[in-house]
Amino acid sequence: MSFILVGLGNPGQEYEKTRHNAGRLALAPLADDWSHDRRLNALVSQTKIGRTKALLLLPETFMNKSAEAVKPLIKSAKAAGELVVIHDDLDLPLGRVKLVFARGAGGHKGVESIKRAIKTDQFYQLKIGISPATPKGKTKKPQGEEKVQKFILGSFKPEELKILKKVNQKIAAGLELLLNQSPELAMNLLNQK
């Protein structure tokens, strides 16, 4: 079996460059072409990352229904071990990423839906920081549900997109290590400040 990489976000042009779509924005450049898979209701691309085959998946459902695209592909806990869910994370400042395995959803609706649907947490999450940071690098995330919603559905500013572009290059390098060498090497690269 090949790895399945899922970039979480919301479909449609109005959400394209929003913070909640950081997962989609990170994964999209790794494919040469995308096709729509009706059964999964997702954009899919078969590709190679390094020497390892991977199925790239961009669910065409809204965030809280992300599992609809993933569930038909993950039939066992063993299969879940080769799933990488790439998503935005409010607990990390913009510019930081973190690769984890077998962790909770941290309140992320897309991750929650996948975890519930495949009945395991035995998969990788690649978290992309989207929160502003203090001058000392501490996360300064919005407080209260209304402010959080407004923030995550807001578009990245041009200067933030420049930071995100560098982050996405780091993610591509980290995924290559994860798929071809080891989780430890990928985590060493991705989880450093």
Side-chain angles (χ1 to χ4, degrees):
M1 188 184 142
S2 58
F3 269 82
I4 298 170
L5 311 182
V6 183
L8 296 189
N10 290 312
Q13 252 183 321
E14 70 270 33
Y15 297 106
E16 210 169 284
K17 292 206 168 110
T18 62
R19 293 179 185 93
H20 216 22
N21 271 31
R24 279 176 85 97
L25 291 169
L27 195 59
L30 299 182
D32 294 326
D33 62 328
W34 293 93
S35 59
H36 188 268
D37 184 311
R38 271 202 217 160
R39 180 179 71 97
L40 301 175
N41 191 16
L43 296 176
V44 297
S45 180
Q46 293 276 354
T47 192
K48 266 187 156 184
I49 295 181
R51 61 186 183 282
T52 304
K53 284 183 183 174
L55 175 68
L56 309 185
L57 201 65
L58 300 176
E60 285 286 275
T61 56
F62 283 98
M63 188 67 85
N64 60 348
K65 295 191 174 183
S66 299
E68 289 177 17
V70 178
K71 190 179 179 188
L73 301 171
I74 305 295
K75 301 287 188 201
S76 67
K78 187 178 184 228
E82 293 189 328
L83 172 66
V84 183
V85 179
I86 306 166
H87 62 88
D88 59 299
D89 192 308
L90 269 173
D91 292 324
L92 290 173
L94 181 68
R96 288 272 319 275
V97 291
K98 192 171 186 180
L99 178 66
V100 297
F101 184 77
R103 294 284 177 85
H108 194 286
K109 302 289 186 227
V111 178
E112 279 175 14
S113 80
I114 291 170
K115 218 175 131 183
R116 245 189 340 267
I118 66 173
K119 296 177 175 56
T120 184
D121 65 1
Q122 301 293 300
F123 59 89
Y124 291 96
Q125 290 182 53
L126 207 168
K127 303 172 177 214
I128 303 170
I130 60 167
S131 287
T134 65
K136 289 186 176 179
K138 295 272 185 223
T139 306
K140 200 169 75 179
K141 67 180 186 179
Q143 299 299 314
E145 200 171 324
E146 201 174 301
K147 283 184 179 171
V148 166
Q149 283 298 315
K150 191 175 177 186
F151 180 76
I152 63 175
L153 294 177
S155 292
F156 282 110
K157 297 178 177 104
E159 63 272 17
E160 292 174 326
L161 284 170
K162 284 180 189 164
I163 294 168
L164 201 63
K165 191 174 181 183
K166 285 182 183 168
V167 165
N168 290 346
Q169 289 168 346
K170 186 177 181 179
I171 287 170
L175 287 171
E176 189 158 342
L177 288 173
L178 176 65
L179 272 61
N180 296 285
Q181 293 191 38
S182 73
E184 293 74 28
L185 285 172
M187 287 175 184
N188 285 345
L189 172 71
L190 293 167
N191 297 359
Q192 61 183 289
K193 288 185 180 179

